[in-house]
Amino acid sequence: MEPRSMAQRARAGLRDDALNIAEELVVDRGFRAFSMRDLATRVGVSRQTLYNEFGDRRGVASALVLRSTERFLDEIEQALAGEADLHAAWVAAVRGALARAEDNPLLKTLLTGDEGTPELFGTDSEPIVVAARERAAGYLRRRWPELDPDAVGLAAETAARLTVSHIVLPLAPADVVAEQVATVVTRICEWR
């Protein structure tokens, strides 16, 4: 892999700084009160620089959610790795994902936010589901190579969709949901 140029490193640093500050602003004020002008002022760049990087407010919100998703996918992968049994691994992973979502003030703000909050879950949650599916399926294929790869992909997508659904509309305690999701996805893996 080639080393990143100074410009690439500077751009990555700017993006991280902007996302850190945007997260503070959204959590403190809600998405409706969040503005690209405030963000640009706090970051110390022009609004145009932010528009070039993120597109618009919705692009910033999407980048925040995807960054947060990647962070808790790291934790989910660690939970999967901590268990030798496939069912126990899924229980730990789903429980970890639900706990992370519950403890994340940014996700809470975006999920329970005001009318100005973009619809990042539900019909527009595809990037989150895809990221979760790919990370979980990749890990499971490496850890349990004897499982049917198509079944693992289906199981990972099912787990991601059910977990996101529960984050948006929790109908049962997290431990119950984790056990239910683990049962479903384990049976998918064993069925094929």
Side-chain angles (χ1 to χ4, degrees):
M1 183 156 115
E2 286 185 38
R4 293 191 312 177
S5 70
M6 293 277 289
Q8 289 170 323
R9 286 194 304 268
R11 181 173 178 216
L14 168 67
R15 184 175 180 84
D16 285 342
D17 290 347
L19 289 175
N20 290 338
I21 293 168
E23 183 170 341
E24 291 173 15
L25 290 170
V26 170
V27 169
D28 289 346
R29 301 179 187 175
F31 193 76
R32 186 185 323 175
F34 169 79
S35 75
M36 295 295 269
R37 176 175 298 184
D38 288 343
L39 180 58
T41 300
R42 294 266 313 266
V43 175
V45 298
S46 70
R47 282 187 295 164
Q48 188 59 50
T49 298
L50 294 177
Y51 284 115
N52 291 343
E53 183 65 31
F54 298 105
D56 58 12
R57 289 172 6 120
R58 183 179 174 80
V60 172
S62 293
L64 284 170
V65 170
L66 288 174
R67 182 175 78 162
S68 185
T69 299
E70 283 300 316
R71 288 176 178 168
F72 82 69
L73 288 177
D74 290 341
E75 292 177 16
I76 290 170
E77 197 167 302
Q78 288 176 339
L80 285 169
E83 300 291 339
D85 173 73
L86 183 62
H87 185 270
W90 276 114
V91 169
V94 173
R95 188 182 300 126
L98 296 176
R100 176 79 167 132
E102 178 65 27
D103 294 338
N104 187 312
L106 174 64
L107 289 178
K108 281 184 182 178
T109 299
L110 292 172
L111 289 171
T112 62
D114 53 44
E115 64 195 50
T117 303
E119 175 81 23
L120 293 173
F121 293 89
T123 59
D124 289 343
S125 64
E126 180 182 358
I128 296 164
V129 171
V130 168
R133 178 192 67 207
E134 294 306 312
R135 286 281 297 272
Y139 175 80
L140 292 169
R141 287 180 184 126
R142 289 187 307 275
R143 177 85 185 268
W144 286 283
E146 70 278 4
L147 294 175
D148 179 278
D150 293 334
V152 168
L154 176 60
E157 181 165 347
T158 301
R161 288 180 181 276
L162 290 173
T163 303
V164 168
S165 177
H166 181 77
I167 290 169
V168 174
L169 182 62
L171 297 176
D175 285 343
V176 171
V177 171
E179 184 65 38
Q180 291 170 339
V181 172
T183 299
V184 169
V185 299
T186 302
R187 288 187 180 162
I188 290 170
C189 288
E190 294 169 350
W191 171 64
R192 292 193 132 191

